[in-house]
Amino acid sequence: MSTTPTSTNIATFERFHCSCNSGDIDDIASTIDEVFLPDAVVHSPLTAGSGPETMKQIWRLLLRAFPDIHVMVDDTIVDHDKIASRQTVTGTHRGEYRGLAPTGKAVVYEEIFIIRFSDGQIAEVWGVVDTLTQLRQLGAIRL
């Protein structure tokens, strides 16, 4: 069976996604080192920067705040060198997050990520996260 750039990108996406749901920061960090290019650019509501360390910083923050975080892929669209993924995130707020002390509250929110690949590795990530819903559920914002 031959592999195409698209199938390699899908396998890389799935490898990263599965690792993120492991809850194990060491596994996530080593997977990030494996699948992200050294100069990968990350555009996220939590932080922006380049390199695998930026993504590791995001996951350290998320796991500290939501140790049971789980990301469910709802839809995936593949187009040449990009994958777009609509996801539902669940977790329980058990650690500091954006200056908010742990509340013990459960959150459910949606996000969309677009990932660009180069030679089977992640070269750039754009994230749009429904932080309004997330922060409302945590009681940080009242409307």
Side-chain angles (χ1 to χ4, degrees):
M1 181 170 115
S2 68
T3 59
T4 65
T6 299
S7 65
T8 300
N9 295 346
I10 292 169
T12 299
F13 171 80
E14 290 174 349
R15 168 82 176 98
F16 178 56
H17 173 74
C18 286
S19 175
C20 290
N21 277 332
S22 74
D24 179 348
I25 191 59
D26 293 330
D27 179 54
I28 295 168
S30 67
T31 301
I32 288 170
D33 286 335
E34 174 189 324
V35 302
F36 276 74
L37 289 170
D39 60 348
V41 180
V42 178
H43 312 273
S44 163
L46 291 175
T47 189
S50 63
E53 193 55 42
T54 300
M55 187 58 70
K56 290 178 197 177
Q57 177 184 353
I58 291 169
W59 276 98
R60 281 192 293 270
L61 185 150
L62 288 171
L63 283 172
R64 183 176 57 245
F66 307 99
D68 62 344
I69 193 168
H70 181 78
V71 181
M72 170 66 79
V73 174
D74 300 311
D75 290 303
T76 304
I77 299 170
V78 180
D79 186 36
H80 302 290
D81 66 341
K82 292 185 182 83
I83 292 179
S85 179
R86 183 178 66 84
Q87 305 170 151
T88 301
V89 181
T90 59
T92 309
H93 184 215
R94 303 225 181 268
E96 187 275 329
Y97 181 68
R98 295 180 174 236
L100 185 63
T103 62
K105 294 180 179 179
V107 294
V108 178
Y109 60 93
E110 293 186 347
E111 60 187 18
I112 296 174
F113 277 84
I114 299 173
I115 302 171
R116 183 177 61 81
F117 295 83
S118 178
D119 296 323
Q121 288 187 288
I122 296 172
E124 194 161 10
V125 177
W126 296 267
V128 178
V129 178
D130 185 358
T131 53
L132 177 62
T133 295
Q134 178 192 67
L135 294 173
R136 283 181 68 199
Q137 292 173 7
L138 295 175
I141 296 176
R142 299 193 201 307
L143 295 178

